[in-house]
Amino acid sequence: MALNKRAIVTGGTRGIGRAIVKELATKSCCGVLFSDVAFIYNSCDECVDEIRREVNSDETKIFGFKADASSYEEAEATVEMAVKELGGVDILVNNAGITRDNLLLRMTPEEFDQVINVNLKSVFNYTKAVIKYMIKQRYGKIVNISSVVGVIGNAGQSNYAASKAGIIGFTRATAKELATRNITVNAVAPGFIETDMTNKLNEKQKDALLQNIPLQRFGKPEDVAKVVAFLCSSDADYITGQVINVDGGMVMS
Ligand code: NAP
């Protein structure tokens, strides 16, 4: 029997990241084998056992590592521990993210730095830490979670939009650098997905957003996770440097 793939997912405890962990660990569709998964999280210790229970599989192993994804030193140390437990790494999903929304006039330098560090610098941290393993084995799939806000912008989210647009540039540059080593790098840009991050919006804001979604519903974390799993699969071997919108048609180009 073929060996499981080995995946690292940042921000795996809640929302989209949690759905990605479960999708990679439990599905063997579209050329993705069941994956052993190590995920990184910030605070939710109780989530680790919850996820293990939800996955409930004898086929796959799940590991949770508490680390601040914005710290390069912690990323290096965590990847080393994860690789030891998994026996290598084939897949990286850079998903950890936060918002600190404010109009630019009121936004503090701390709010700007926090968002850039957690959302964008973490992508540098984890990508740099895993590629030495991927280059050596001449195989790797990297998926970065951007946002439609990084493509079209959004008032009150200049820090978040900059971080998510930065992820798109980083994705394209690294896709070009790593292609000769058989490593693909793609981004997924979700629209409005129902998670803790978007629960903060009031009904009026949600109604306004719905007007701009042709499919007339908000997305579910699983809608994003399935596309991520496809990009991590052998069916996507000829796709690199792309940004796939998962947004119910909000942004069409
Ligand atoms: P969420 O429900 O708030 O979950 C965020 C995840 O990131 C949690 O697992 C959290 O860990 C982790 N995290 C936060 N700060 C971290 C840090 N410093 N180090 C390590 N882990 C950290 O968010 P979500 O809605 O699922 O969003 C996931 C990704 O999708 C983000 O990059 C977000 O920008 C992007 N996205 C979301 C939407 C949407 O509509 N929801 C749309 C477009 C893009 P703890 O649980 O331990 O705190």
Side-chain angles (χ1 to χ4, degrees):
M1 202 181 110
L3 289 173
N4 286 358
K5 292 285 181 205
R6 298 145 313 174
I8 295 178
V9 179
T10 70
T13 37
R14 288 185 288 119
I16 294 171
R18 188 173 182 137
I20 292 169
V21 170
K22 288 162 66 177
E23 189 74 19
L24 292 176
T26 58
K27 298 283 165 61
S28 60
C29 70
C30 47
V32 185
L33 296 168
F34 294 105
S35 299
D36 294 331
V37 186
F39 64 81
I40 305 358
Y41 67 100
N42 187 38
S43 59
C44 187
D45 294 322
E46 63 279 13
C47 291
V48 179
D49 278 340
E50 265 173 38
I51 293 169
R52 283 210 185 101
R53 275 198 299 277
E54 284 168 17
V55 168
N56 188 25
S57 161
D58 295 333
E59 309 269 352
T60 47
K61 295 189 212 104
I62 305 280
F63 305 96
F65 292 102
K66 188 173 189 165
D68 179 0
S70 67
S71 155
Y72 180 68
E73 289 71 26
E74 289 188 33
E76 263 203 320
T78 313
V79 166
E80 207 178 307
M81 285 189 286
V83 165
K84 217 175 212 171
E85 295 287 3
L86 296 168
V89 56
D90 307 297
I91 294 167
L92 169 67
V93 183
N94 283 306
N95 163 80
I98 58 168
T99 50
R100 295 286 182 271
D101 297 352
N102 224 335
L103 292 173
L104 185 55
L105 264 180
R106 293 196 206 117
M107 188 177 288
T108 64
E110 291 73 27
E111 286 169 336
F112 189 82
D113 287 347
Q114 276 176 357
V115 169
I116 295 294
N117 288 337
V118 175
N119 295 11
L120 179 57
K121 187 162 173 260
S122 68
V123 178
F124 164 81
N125 292 342
Y126 277 84
T127 306
K128 190 168 160 63
V130 301
I131 54 167
K132 60 179 179 227
Y133 302 101
M134 291 180 172
I135 287 173
K136 209 166 167 196
Q137 70 196 8
R138 293 200 162 252
Y139 180 88
K141 303 275 183 201
I142 300 175
V143 180
N144 300 322
I145 307 299
S146 176
S147 166
V148 291
V149 168
V151 180
I152 59 171
N154 193 24
Q157 290 198 307
S158 57
N159 49 1
Y160 186 79
S163 73
K164 294 298 179 181
I167 287 176
I168 293 174
F170 185 87
T171 299
R172 291 182 173 144
T174 49
K176 286 184 177 176
E177 267 187 47
L178 298 168
T180 56
R181 313 303 174 97
N182 193 32
I183 299 167
T184 63
V185 190
N186 291 289
V188 171
F192 185 102
I193 310 297
E194 288 171 333
T195 69
D196 293 346
M197 187 177 273
T198 47
N199 274 345
K200 299 168 199 162
L201 298 180
N202 62 38
E203 287 310 310
K204 204 174 152 200
Q205 288 169 311
K206 288 184 184 175
D207 282 347
L209 276 162
L210 257 189
Q211 306 292 321
N212 294 314
I213 302 175
L215 286 177
Q216 296 201 313
R217 69 168 176 90
F218 298 131
K220 295 183 184 359
E222 294 72 25
D223 291 320
V224 181
K226 285 180 175 42
V227 176
V228 171
F230 164 68
L231 290 170
C232 294
S233 77
S234 55
D235 285 358
D237 278 350
Y238 201 53
I239 301 175
T240 197
Q242 303 305 308
V243 182
I244 314 286
N245 292 359
V246 182
D247 63 358
M250 240 173 125
V251 176
M252 298 188 191
S253 56

